[in-house]
């Protein structure tokens, strides 16, 4: 006659293959017995991981600070997560966002590791970007994961205002005049000096020698010197950026 019993216990086992044995001590009526090992060894790990990525703010203005965050989750275990996380834009590594060491913790009984980065202003161009992340495991307890599902990050162009000043107003015909434009990036845009060139216009027509003038970093100014002055009358001076 045979009978069976079930044992349940919380065991912490290392990764690998484990073979279990059972023994029976016997009594006056039954002989003792020891099994020869389980026919199917129990195999522990490595465990799966998942990774997700997000960012804020989104949409973002060119030059405005933003943060990308990747979260690695260990599936079904609380072994510490070790390794590196890299974040990509359109499959290209983002400067300052690769080889990140995540910070691990246990959240609601699940091992979670988080890595964040804040790319420098201008690293991503004004466009829509597909942001993904990957986890490379250095732990025998976990498999790597990624690329993650994409997160859509839109970098929008900043708005730039221009003001104009004249070295002489009013001026007499033929008097040399210098026009100065000053560029100001509208918040929350945070580019110190907007890239690009400006053209000075007189009633919509470019002034001679004043097309594609660079913006000087610091004061953010551009100048147009009209050595021969302007003709008699009212002139509407503007800049195109």
């Amino acid at each position: 006659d045979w009978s069976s019993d079930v044992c349940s216990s919380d065991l912490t086992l290392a990764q690998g293959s484990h073979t279990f044995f059972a023994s029976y001590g016997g009594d006056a009526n039954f002989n003792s017995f020891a099994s020869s090992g389980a026919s199917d060894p129990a195999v522990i790990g490595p465990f799966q991981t998942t990774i997700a990525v997000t960012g804020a703010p989104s949409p973002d203005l060119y030059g405005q600070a933003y943060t990308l965050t990747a979260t690695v989750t260990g599936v079904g275990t609380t072994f510490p997560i070790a390794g590196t996380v890299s974040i990509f834009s359109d499959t290209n590594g983002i400067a300052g966002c690769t080889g990140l060491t995540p910070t691990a913790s246990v959240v609601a009984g699940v091992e979670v590791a988080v890595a964040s980065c804040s790319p420098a202003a201008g690293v991503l161009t004004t466009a829509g970007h597909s942001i993904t992340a990957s986890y490379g495991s250095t732990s025998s307890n976990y498999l790597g994961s990624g690329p993650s599902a994409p997160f859509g990050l839109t970098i929008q162009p900043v708005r730039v205002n221009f003001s104009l000043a004249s070295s002489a107003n009013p001026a007499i015909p033929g008097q040399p005049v210098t026009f100065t434009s000053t560029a100001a990036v509208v918040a929350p845009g945070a580019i110190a000096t907007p890239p690009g060139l400006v053209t000075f216009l007189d009633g919509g027509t470019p002034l001679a020698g004043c097309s594609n003038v660079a913006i000087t970093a610091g004061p953010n100014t551009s100048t147009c010197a009209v050595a021969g002055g302007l003709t008699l009358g009212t002139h509407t001076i503007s800049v195109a950026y």
Side-chain angles (χ1 to χ4, degrees):
D1 193 12
W2 293 91
S3 65
S4 62
D5 201 356
V6 176
C7 171
S8 176
S9 177
D10 292 329
L11 299 176
T12 300
L13 299 176
Q15 179 188 329
S17 178
H18 298 266
T19 301
F20 295 93
F21 298 86
S23 64
Y24 169 62
D27 59 15
N29 299 310
F30 295 94
N31 294 327
S32 61
F33 176 81
S35 70
S36 59
S39 58
D40 294 317
V43 178
I44 305 300
F47 293 95
Q48 299 282 343
T49 59
T50 62
I51 186 167
V53 65
T54 187
S58 181
D60 180 76
L61 289 177
Y62 183 78
Q64 181 184 7
Y66 60 97
T67 299
L68 301 174
T69 301
T71 302
V72 181
T73 302
V75 178
T77 182
T78 57
F79 288 114
I81 290 176
T84 59
V85 168
S86 293
I87 301 177
F88 305 86
S89 171
D90 309 310
T91 73
N92 299 311
I94 301 173
C97 296
T98 59
L100 303 173
T101 300
T103 300
S105 61
V106 176
V107 179
V110 176
E111 183 72 12
V112 174
V114 178
S116 298
C117 65
S118 296
V123 167
L124 295 183
T125 58
T126 53
H129 297 273
S130 177
I131 307 298
T132 57
S134 293
Y135 163 61
S137 175
T138 58
S139 167
S140 60
N141 294 316
Y142 290 105
L143 297 173
S145 54
S148 66
F151 165 74
L153 175 66
T154 300
I155 306 294
Q156 298 177 333
V158 297
R159 181 180 168 189
V160 182
N161 287 340
F162 287 87
S163 59
L164 269 172
S166 172
S167 62
N169 188 18
I172 61 175
Q175 178 183 356
V177 179
T178 298
F179 299 104
T180 302
S181 72
T182 302
V185 175
V186 178
I191 292 293
T193 300
L197 305 171
V198 299
T199 294
F200 290 80
L201 308 172
D202 179 4
T205 301
L207 286 165
C210 295
S211 295
N212 298 324
V213 181
I215 299 174
T216 302
N220 290 353
T221 56
S222 305
T223 58
C224 166
V226 184
L230 300 174
T231 59
L232 181 66
T234 299
H235 296 264
T236 301
I237 307 299
S238 60
V239 292
Y241 171 60

